[in-house]
Amino acid sequence: MRLAILTGGGDCPGLNNVIRAVLFQAIKKYEDEVFGYLYGWKGPINNLIMPLALSDAEGIFNQGGTIIKSSRTNPYKTEGGPQKVIDNLKLNKIEALIAVGGEDTCGVAYKLFKDFKAPIICVPKTIDNDLNATDQTFGFDTALSIVCDAVDRLHTTAKSHDRVLVLEVMGRHAGWIATMGGIAGAADYILIPEEAFDINKVAEAIKLRKKEAGYAVIVIAEGAKFSDEEILKGQEKDAFGHVKLGGIGDRLAKALEEKTDFETRAMSLGHIQRGGSPTAFDRVLGTRYGLKAVDLVHQKKFGRMVSLQGNKIVDVDVKDAVGTLKTVDKELYNQTKVFFGDEIKTMTRV
Ligand code: F6P
């Protein structure tokens, strides 16, 4: 069989583990020929294709990024894009395509499957962990460990200077990185896109924390809304209609300083969260996803996505993974409020 793989959307550690597993499973178990489409969906639109061999998998197990590149190209926003994808799959006699990506990449895969019966299997990826129908996407665990390390470091310096430090992390519409990173790093306040925040409440909580400990560390997701407003880097949108977020940490720090008079500084972790070597968890998850994806190809279970459920790798309808995002569980987020000043008292009183 001739099969191809592409990686789309924002990169993340673990992509190369999927590619490595696909190569081993396809070549050694099924004697397939494997090809890589370069730069996500841009590859099959523009016929950017390269043969992949087992030697390409050499030494990539601990490398972040993706050896077949990525982009945020949307065939459905490109003139004749979907048809070009289908034509190029035919031209190269590709019998199955493994699309590794998040909501956008898998959303395109679902449309191509629905509109053209395209033989596609999806693999769920994103540091944001906001894809439905799977317990976890790979890349998230690595991002989390980077955030946890950063929050740990902020504690010691904040404490030495009696400062309030604000860390802005990724997470456009879902605050998984902020919530889990904040819990792991013992943040004194966690702010996420799912719950609009009241600056006065945050200021009161920080005042209490300062009284008790002398310093405070706050983790805020880039998509958290300041008085219902998203803080943007610019007006430009990508091919999937996403705006560039950034700056909410600075905005919060400024407002907090005004309200509390405490010296408050902000920093943003940005793409550091997407780079570097994958954690052991992401290496294993990416590998298991890749192995399963090739099995699904040979079972001709197209339109399916590999998924982690409990401890098992299963397959689900890709339709169930796209369309809506998996946002932070309200109950989990509410539980973290016990760490935010006297917020919990306010909650239980009502
Ligand atoms: O891939 C998800 C993500 O990391 C988001 O958390 C973030 O907002 C976005 O990508 C940044 O994308 P880009 O690298 O295209 O600016």
Side-chain angles (χ1 to χ4, degrees):
M1 187 179 227
R2 284 165 72 89
L3 72 91
I5 179 167
L6 64 80
T7 54
D11 74 332
C12 73
L15 284 165
N16 284 330
N17 302 87
V18 178
I19 296 168
R20 176 174 175 270
V22 165
L23 284 172
F24 272 79
Q25 188 83 325
I27 295 170
K28 287 193 149 194
K29 183 170 169 186
Y30 294 105
E31 298 182 354
D32 292 330
E33 279 181 84
V34 186
F35 296 82
Y37 273 117
L38 303 176
Y39 297 101
W41 289 114
K42 192 190 255 183
I45 293 176
N46 298 326
N47 207 23
L48 309 171
I49 191 166
M50 63 181 278
L52 290 173
L54 275 183
S55 57
D56 292 304
E58 194 55 45
I60 64 173
F61 69 97
N62 59 0
Q63 307 277 303
T66 160
I67 58 164
I68 51 174
K69 310 274 187 176
S70 192
S71 76
R72 293 195 185 276
T73 308
N74 182 353
Y76 283 86
K77 291 279 176 214
T78 309
E79 183 69 37
Q83 192 58 51
K84 282 182 188 161
V85 171
I86 300 303
D87 291 347
N88 281 322
L89 289 178
K90 280 204 186 114
L91 181 75
N92 296 303
K93 299 191 172 59
I94 299 298
E95 297 160 87
L97 175 64
I98 296 174
V100 188
E103 224 268 324
D104 298 333
T105 305
C106 295
V108 168
Y110 172 61
K111 280 193 199 154
L112 290 169
F113 174 72
K114 200 168 51 112
D115 298 347
F116 300 90
K117 295 254 167 305
I120 304 180
I121 298 292
C122 287
V123 176
K125 162 242 68 160
T126 167
I127 65 160
D128 292 349
N129 199 34
D130 58 2
L131 202 62
N132 269 310
T134 184
D135 288 354
Q136 197 157 321
T137 52
F138 70 86
F140 173 62
D141 187 68
T142 307
L144 198 55
S145 74
I146 295 166
V147 171
C148 178
D149 179 59
V151 183
D152 280 358
R153 288 166 193 276
L154 292 183
H155 275 282
T156 63
T157 174
K159 195 169 181 177
S160 305
H161 291 270
D162 290 341
R163 277 179 179 151
V164 177
L165 292 180
V166 175
L167 181 69
E168 180 181 313
V169 299
M170 281 186 170
R172 269 188 193 128
H173 308 290
W176 288 105
I177 297 178
T179 304
M180 302 303 232
I183 294 173
D188 304 306
Y189 220 106
I190 300 168
L191 296 160
I192 59 174
E194 289 87 338
E195 197 166 304
F197 66 86
D198 174 351
I199 184 66
N200 294 313
K201 254 173 130 183
V202 181
E204 286 316 305
I206 296 306
K207 278 184 196 163
L208 192 73
R209 165 74 187 166
K210 272 279 279 180
K211 207 158 90 189
E212 287 169 350
Y215 77 101
V217 176
I218 301 171
V219 178
I220 184 164
E222 61 182 348
K225 288 165 203 73
F226 196 98
S227 313
D228 275 348
E229 184 199 344
E230 274 186 329
I231 309 299
L232 309 182
K233 272 205 175 125
Q235 293 307 316
E236 194 195 324
K237 288 189 180 167
D238 69 19
F240 289 91
H242 303 302
V243 287
K244 278 203 183 88
L245 294 168
I248 184 74
D250 283 325
R251 184 79 178 264
L252 173 68
K254 196 164 174 283
L256 267 183
E257 206 164 53
E258 279 165 15
K259 290 204 177 280
T260 62
D261 239 7
F262 301 142
E263 187 185 9
T264 307
R265 305 265 181 96
M267 61 239 74
S268 168
L269 263 188
H271 291 80
I272 291 169
Q273 295 158 96
R274 290 221 314 244
S277 188
T279 56
F281 182 89
D282 279 337
R283 294 180 196 192
V284 173
L285 185 59
T287 300
R288 293 178 75 198
Y289 278 162
L291 297 175
K292 177 78 174 180
V294 178
D295 284 341
L296 293 181
V297 162
H298 283 271
Q299 291 157 13
K300 300 218 172 341
K301 288 176 107 177
F302 300 123
R304 307 287 291 175
M305 182 184 86
V306 297
S307 154
L308 177 69
Q309 290 190 8
N311 242 339
K312 298 254 177 293
I313 303 293
V314 299
D315 58 281
V316 295
D317 199 329
V318 69
K319 183 176 177 218
D320 296 334
V322 299
T324 56
L325 289 174
K326 183 177 73 182
T327 49
V328 172
D329 178 38
K330 223 177 167 43
E331 196 184 325
L332 168 71
Y333 182 67
N334 280 339
Q335 276 184 325
T336 68
K337 291 181 179 171
V338 76
F339 301 110
F340 308 169
D342 67 349
E343 172 107 1
I344 196 78
K345 289 198 200 115
T346 327
M347 280 171 60
T348 44
R349 264 190 236 124
V350 289

